[in-house]
Amino acid sequence: MPTMADVARRAGVSVATVSHVLNDTRPVLPHTRQAVLDAVDALGYTPNTLARSLVTSRTRSIGLAVSAISNPYFTEILQGVEAAALAEGYSLLIADPHDDPEHELKVVQLLHERRVDGMIVAPSARPDELVAYLRRQAVPTVFLDRVITRDDDDGSGSGDGEVAERPAGPGRDGQLTSQAGGFDQVCAENSEPMARLVTHLAGLGHRRIGLIAGLPGLSTTSERITGYRRGLAAAGLPYDADLVVSGSSESAAAEHATADLLSRPAAPTALVTANNAMTIGTLRALRERGLSVPGDIALCSFDDFAWADLFSPRLTAVAQPSREMGARAVQVLLDRLAAPDRPTRTVRLPCAFVHRTSCGCPEEVRGGAEGADARPAGVNTEASAQSEKGTTT
């Protein structure tokens, strides 16, 4: 196996120069750098990453802690993180916190012990111990998807369909919620897209719109409930707490919650599920009761599926930019590593409204008022924030 000394002899330079080129620790003349790289290619030299980490104090690795890696939503985020990390020459260490605060802290500690350069974490509903550990250890971290919210951040984004970036500092009263200060965050807009689903159903004549909400304590849950209430208000409908049940962000709990909601005296005529896993549970509950969609009850989902177009009827949904979120989280983390003292920021990415037929719209109507289609098979897709222009949410 060729060594660094072999590369140095081949390139006609010192071993120190080879080290500077490979580790990017000091400027090297362009022709000298190229000679070293040519020697590396010719000899098939592979750098020793452990030795490199001793020189640079960097392992060029990123720790990723996200729950439910088997969930298609998180799988797409993972793909975005991995692609962006590899493109920048970083490896990825992955752990699943299982949405359990104690396990979350344990896996983050293990990732930290592996000397990752930084972490990307989708925090649990009770992240205070996690946040305290990351701050105490000064671990460069980006919170992903489930963020540590600010008092003045309701998940509505910029409202113009563009990426919204804002400082991740104190809220209106100068206080930090759940120790949010000091960390970068990347997530999707939540409030406006959810309001978009609700106003769409209200526009179809529905007056009792139920919500299968996510796990209490998650920022995504609270922001989507906010959007649900805003959508009702925009449509002139009262908020009824009896129409909101918790599906705990999982399929089985959502099935039970939907069954409970449908058994109440004044059942809803339309349902909105707050993530894709809960959509599956809701569909099971509807099937158990022999209810058809949208004939007996309309259904919309916050979260799109790769196979949602294959459902019968096809699922009207909000599609999150999952891969883009993962890739953006990597870039934000690398920006932090390059400039540790830069101001922290929260990046919110716009979602898309995907208009199909589970809401009750016939196929021939979907291509009209909703605008041109950017997806195959005639599916209408719009940036949800752009869809909300002119609507008070």
Side-chain angles (χ1 to χ4, degrees), residues 56-344:
T56 64
S57 298
R58 294 280 183 89
T59 60
R60 295 195 72 82
S61 62
I62 294 172
L64 176 65
V66 296
S67 294
I69 289 175
S70 60
N71 186 315
Y73 170 67
F74 281 104
T75 300
E76 289 194 8
I77 285 183
L78 170 58
Q79 291 170 348
V81 171
E82 182 181 43
L86 289 177
E88 297 291 341
Y90 280 77
S91 60
L92 202 59
L93 299 180
I94 307 170
D96 189 334
H98 301 299
D99 275 336
D100 175 76
E102 289 186 13
H103 190 64
E104 172 181 67
L105 181 60
K106 183 180 300 183
V107 298
V108 165
Q109 288 173 330
L110 289 173
L111 289 172
H112 186 215
E113 289 170 6
R114 293 295 185 97
R115 296 296 185 262
V116 295
D117 293 336
M119 294 194 203
I120 298 173
V121 181
S124 69
R126 301 192 307 278
D128 287 345
E129 288 190 28
L130 166 71
V131 172
Y133 175 83
L134 292 171
R135 177 173 288 117
R136 186 169 59 251
Q137 298 296 328
V139 182
T141 301
V142 174
F143 289 128
L144 176 65
D145 182 56
R146 296 104 165 258
V147 299
I148 310 300
T149 57
R150 302 189 329 161
D151 293 337
D152 59 350
D153 187 358
D154 61 5
S156 60
S158 62
D160 60 4
E162 300 296 328
V163 174
E165 296 195 21
R166 54 173 65 88
R172 286 188 298 266
D173 60 0
Q175 299 299 312
L176 300 173
T177 59
S178 300
Q179 304 178 353
F183 295 99
D184 298 305
Q185 311 187 106
V186 176
C187 55
E189 295 176 359
N190 285 295
S191 179
E192 288 184 76
M194 176 59 82
R196 179 73 181 89
L197 292 177
V198 173
T199 56
H200 178 68
L201 289 169
L204 296 174
H206 293 283
R207 294 296 175 263
R208 294 189 60 77
I209 302 170
L211 174 65
I212 313 300
L215 184 67
L218 295 179
S219 63
T220 49
T221 298
S222 60
E223 289 172 6
R224 290 170 195 175
I225 291 175
T226 295
Y228 168 79
R229 297 188 69 156
R230 286 184 171 182
L232 292 175
L237 299 176
Y239 172 74
D240 183 349
D242 285 340
L243 290 174
V244 180
V245 293
S246 174
S248 299
S249 298
E250 60 181 26
S251 178
E255 182 176 357
H256 293 303
T258 303
D260 174 51
L261 185 57
L262 295 175
S263 67
R264 296 178 183 181
T269 62
L271 291 174
V272 179
T273 54
N275 77 2
N276 55 17
M278 291 190 291
T279 301
I280 298 299
T282 294
L283 286 169
R284 287 199 187 101
L286 295 177
R287 184 184 61 186
E288 284 295 315
R289 281 153 185 75
L291 298 176
S292 66
V293 177
D296 297 315
I297 188 167
L299 177 66
C300 292
S301 170
F302 198 112
D303 264 359
D304 199 19
F305 298 80
W307 56 86
D309 208 32
L310 302 177
F311 285 173
S312 181
R314 299 158 70 213
L315 185 65
T316 294
V318 163
Q320 299 190 74
S322 306
R323 293 192 187 192
E324 186 180 355
M325 283 172 56
R328 192 61 185 271
V330 172
Q331 189 56 60
V332 169
L333 179 59
L334 296 185
D335 289 346
R336 171 64 50 202
L337 294 175
D341 296 327
R342 67 176 295 156
T344 54

